Amino acid sequence: SNENITKELYLYQNYPNPFNPVTQIKFDLPKSGNVKLSVFNINGQKVAELVDKVMSAGDYSVDFDGSKLNSGVYYYTLESNEMAVTKKMVLVK
């Protein structure tokens, strides 16, 4: 067994933050399953879907390019196996 596998879904703060135009989002999956990583604006509208697929347990990192979006606050949500975690990020142009 791999002792390094986390027991819960973990979503890291994006880096850099604030960002322009690209930032990196890291997350840890405790077990395999369908994974969705989505970005929303402050009105709750989905502006990007970065991941939507079955993934195995492990540590991942995804780049998000906000060059087509306006400056402001955005939220990114990771969903997998009935769990969801949301964090806030700031795009500054």
Side-chain angles (χ1 to χ4, degrees), residues 1 8 13 32 34 39 41 43 57 59 67 73 75 78 80 85 89:
S1 68
E8 59 184 297
Q13 185 65 49
S32 60
N34 195 61
V39 179
N41 63 21
N43 299 319
D59 304 342
S67 57
V73 172
Y75 295 92
L78 177 68
S80 183
V85 194
M89 59 182 167

Side-chain angles (χ1 to χ4, degrees), residues 23-58:
T23 189
Q24 186 180 69
I25 297 171
K26 292 183 176 182
F27 57 92
D28 300 342
L29 301 179
K31 57 183 179 178
S32 60
N34 195 61
V35 177
K36 284 182 91 159
L37 179 60
S38 311
V39 179
F40 300 89
N41 63 21
I42 53 172
N43 299 319
Q45 297 164 307
K46 186 184 289 187
V47 296
E49 188 146 287
L50 306 180
V51 177
D52 185 5
K53 63 183 178 183
V54 173
M55 299 174 81
S56 50

Side-chain angles (χ1 to χ4, degrees), residues 60-79:
Y60 295 92
S61 124
V62 176
D63 285 341
F64 170 56
D65 183 345
S67 57
K68 293 186 175 71
L69 299 173
N70 296 324
S71 295
V73 172
Y74 292 88
Y75 295 92
Y76 55 106
T77 299
L78 177 68
E79 298 172 83

